[in-house]
Amino acid sequence: MRDRRTAILEAAARVIARQGVRGLRMEELAAEARVSKALIYYYFEDHAGLLRHTLEFISDRAERYTGGRSGPARPSSPRQELEQSFLLEFQEVPEVRENSTAWGELRASAVFDPQLRDELARAGLMWVREVADALGRTRTGAPDPALIASAERLTALLEGLSARWLSGILPLGNARELMREAIAVEVEQLGRHPTHGTPPHQAVASHTLR
């Protein structure tokens, strides 16, 4: 039998995707998850706790379907692994659309909710760090600040492209192609940075000679 706590979180993600964070009311969630309100309070204590755990659930679910296991083929290189993890965010699959929509709704609500803003910031930092690590495997030796900056740009672009795709402004194929091109630009740019083992002045000199 499916875990009731997971069922509540799945229902919370659906409600947020449909109606936004303000539409997440305990009565409606209980009906959506087919559980009692008392059980929701038992697992999550209050509305803030429910939102925090739903955010974690959405982040974990995104990590599962972008981790390569659901892709058409296993990535054969760090570069392909990086690209696939981004492109799997753009799928005409109900779970992916729901997850991306719910993330966008949480991000929008965080503008007016300091507590949610802090939770979202922590999740965002973890995501940026994961992308930076993936970029580091693609461009070994690139300095950490450059990897972080590149990860910030790519994750921000993904959020923007995802919002346009979900709202019908941007076709799915176009969103995926723009994401692929951005990754190529970032990886190429990281290759121009001096490696950790090369003194900066030597790296600049050798770049000038080329």
Side-chain angles (χ1 to χ4, degrees), residues 34-192:
R34 298 182 180 180
V35 299
S36 67
K37 284 174 56 180
L39 189 64
I40 297 174
Y41 284 110
Y42 171 76
Y43 281 122
F44 305 107
E45 295 186 358
D46 54 21
H47 192 266
L50 174 63
L51 279 181
R52 182 173 65 254
H53 287 285
T54 303
L55 177 59
E56 292 173 359
F57 171 79
I58 290 169
S59 297
D60 290 343
R61 189 164 65 172
E63 187 174 348
R64 285 196 299 275
Y65 65 68
T66 59
R69 291 183 293 277
S70 60
R74 186 177 181 85
S76 59
S77 68
R79 166 68 181 275
Q80 289 183 355
E81 181 181 356
L82 171 70
E83 186 173 286
Q84 181 170 286
S85 70
F86 276 94
L87 296 184
L88 286 174
E89 293 277 7
F90 301 96
Q91 302 182 68
E92 285 293 357
V93 177
E95 181 184 62
V96 176
R97 292 184 66 92
E98 178 186 284
N99 225 55
S100 297
T101 303
W103 176 267
E105 292 291 341
L106 286 163
R107 192 175 67 248
S109 295
V111 175
F112 308 101
D113 186 337
Q115 187 174 7
L116 180 58
R117 192 183 312 153
D118 290 341
E119 296 293 340
L120 197 69
R122 276 191 283 273
L125 284 173
M126 289 177 62
W127 185 23
V128 167
R129 183 69 262 180
E130 289 168 2
V131 173
D133 289 343
L135 285 164
R137 292 191 293 273
T138 301
R139 282 299 190 188
T140 56
D144 197 58
L147 293 170
I148 292 291
S150 181
E152 289 276 13
R153 287 190 291 270
L154 288 175
T155 53
L157 178 63
L158 187 145
E159 288 180 331
L161 291 176
S162 180
R164 292 190 172 201
W165 160 57
L166 291 167
S167 61
I169 297 173
L170 188 66
L172 176 61
N174 290 21
R176 291 172 64 87
E177 186 58 32
L178 288 169
M179 194 75 247
R180 188 181 287 110
E181 290 173 359
I183 293 169
V185 169
E186 292 294 341
V187 170
E188 181 181 357
Q189 181 66 28
L190 286 170
R192 298 173 183 170

